[in-house]
Amino acid sequence: SNCLVRYAGVGGVAALELRASDAILRDCQIRDSAQTGISLVGAVRPTLERITVTQSGGYAVWQSPQASPTYRHLALTGNRVNAIGTNGNADADATWDVSEASTVILVDGYSGVWAGRTLTIAAGSEIRFIENGQFEARGLVLAEGASARPITFTSALTQPQPGAWQGIEVFPTGRLTLTHASIDYGGSPGGRAIGAGTDAQVSIRDSRIRRGGGEAVHASNARVVISGSALYSNSFGVVNDTPALAVDARHNFWGAPSGPYHPTLNPDGLGDGVSNGVLFDPWIEGTPDSMSDLAVVAVSGPASGQPGQTVPITFSVTNNGLPTTAGAWTDSVYLSNDMRYDLSDRLIGRVSHAGALAAGQGYSASLSAPLPVGPMGEAWILVVADSRRALADCNRENNKRASDMPLQF
């Protein structure tokens, strides 16, 4: 702690090399290094906190792909490369976390994880790639962000063009889980932002794949599920080489309210295209960064009642998108035999909401509703937010929710 390392790095080595797993570096300055400022060698887990690296002849920080450091508040200025560089595949379980580092990881060539190993990328981290760089998932990759702390995979170029880097390739032994992640400018022209080979498994949820130079996703005899995501401004959307093993890409936004283009199944779709063997209907008509997104998050009522009895019901709604554009809308309450909304469900009440709803804001509502007369046995209370479609809502699938337990009567 409170140290200064200056003018080091003779013979091409780093000014400071951390090879001990429990190394701790705090409140230090690394200045005027001939090559790399700090190098993390092997499967180490050091702590670097409030570190300044300046005027290095190479990368400010370089880490082995299998390193799992803790970074907090790095100041990287005046170096040849002001980033944390890495290259190659991790041959041990590792975690990449630059969410509090005040910088990014820069993949210099290719990087990822070998088969039989797990690479976790922490929420809030940003991974950038040099031109034609690639990420390889030969083992398990867990990139699970959060709505307020997404994970970003993007180009290192100042003004990137679509296809600035090759993308993410999931090999036959690979597994990839993406949640609240953005993959931008991947898929070199004629390539793909995400490729999945034979027996690969890919799960993409609440994420964005955009501005790709080729296909957003290409599957070849792989198990691929994409939901609640946005695929747009790519040369093409999803290609499946093996239609017998369908890609499940339902409940996604494709760049246009009319959905993805398919020459026979959706010829009027103006969004990114899909091949045969891709399930895409229903789709989302917009994205949370362009429309509101009401979601029913809780529904409750009594455990039992009598036909004709008036019962109390409460529910809660949250806006996951932009502020609502309409000042009033109606939520409807039904009894459902199977927890899924359809025309056979019995309407038992409506609640009007007045006033705009900001992004992230929610409300709770309640009503006293009469149970229908006649035998039912059991039924779930089901709420449909904005049932009359007064709002421009990007995802109407989450407008509906049933109670966790049925009502017995």
Side-chain angles (χ1 to χ4, degrees), residues 17-351:
E17 288 192 356
L18 302 181
R19 295 175 176 269
S21 183
D22 57 351
I24 299 173
L25 191 66
R26 291 193 177 103
D27 301 305
C28 290
Q29 300 181 38
I30 314 297
R31 294 180 175 272
D32 303 299
S33 305
Q35 296 296 326
T36 300
I38 302 174
S39 180
L40 281 57
V41 182
V44 295
R45 298 177 178 271
T47 297
L48 285 77
E49 188 171 9
R50 298 184 299 275
I51 304 301
T52 296
V53 184
T54 184
Q55 301 301 320
S56 294
Y59 275 85
V61 180
W62 184 270
Q63 70 169 51
S64 299
Q66 58 267 31
S68 300
T70 298
Y71 294 117
R72 297 191 185 96
H73 312 301
L74 306 186
L76 313 181
T77 61
N79 306 284
R80 186 176 67 83
V81 183
N82 293 313
I84 301 167
T86 195
N87 177 273
N89 288 337
D91 57 10
D93 293 348
T95 298
W96 292 0
D97 185 354
V98 290
S99 60
E100 299 182 34
S102 307
T103 188
V104 303
I105 289 178
L106 176 56
V107 174
D108 194 338
Y110 77 96
S111 195
V113 63
W114 287 115
R117 302 298 185 182
T118 298
L119 176 60
T120 301
I121 300 176
S125 296
E126 182 170 336
I127 316 299
R128 297 183 185 178
F129 296 81
I130 65 168
E131 191 170 4
N132 294 320
Q134 185 180 53
F135 188 86
E136 296 187 351
R138 296 176 183 271
L140 172 61
V141 175
L142 299 175
E144 297 175 303
S147 57
R149 303 176 70 212
I151 296 169
T152 301
F153 298 82
T154 190
S155 169
L157 297 177
T158 304
Q159 295 181 318
Q161 298 296 318
W165 60 288
Q166 288 191 35
I168 300 172
E169 194 68 20
V170 187
F171 287 80
T173 54
R175 306 288 184 267
L176 173 67
T177 297
L178 293 177
T179 306
H180 291 293
S182 289
I183 298 90
D184 299 331
Y185 302 106
S188 302
R192 54 278 191 110
I194 297 178
T198 299
D199 295 329
Q201 295 184 20
V202 176
S203 172
I204 304 170
R205 301 183 188 279
D206 302 313
S207 297
R208 288 176 172 83
I209 307 173
R210 53 191 177 178
R211 307 185 186 101
E215 302 149 0
V217 177
H218 189 118
S220 298
N221 200 30
R223 298 187 182 277
V224 178
V225 177
I226 312 167
S227 65
S229 297
L231 301 84
Y232 60 94
S233 299
N234 304 287
S235 295
F236 202 80
V238 178
V239 171
N240 184 4
D241 287 342
T242 49
L245 180 58
V247 171
D248 189 346
R250 293 174 289 189
H251 310 301
N252 296 294
F253 174 64
W254 298 89
S258 55
Y261 171 75
H262 187 280
T264 57
L265 300 177
N266 195 32
D268 296 326
L270 299 177
D272 286 8
V274 294
S275 73
N276 292 332
V278 178
L279 307 177
F280 61 84
D281 189 6
W283 60 81
I284 296 173
E285 297 178 356
T287 63
D289 53 12
S290 65
M291 305 169 72
S292 59
D293 179 19
L294 296 189
V296 182
V297 296
V299 179
S300 62
S304 62
Q306 298 296 323
Q309 179 185 357
T310 298
V311 297
I313 295 169
T314 60
F315 60 91
S316 299
V317 178
T318 298
N319 179 18
N320 294 328
L322 286 184
T324 57
T325 55
W329 60 88
T330 300
D331 302 330
S332 296
V333 182
Y334 298 85
L335 287 181
S336 171
N337 291 331
D338 54 10
M339 303 179 72
R340 294 187 295 270
Y341 175 66
D342 56 43
L343 295 178
S344 68
D345 296 336
R346 301 190 189 189
L347 177 69
I348 59 173
R350 290 191 172 100
V351 178

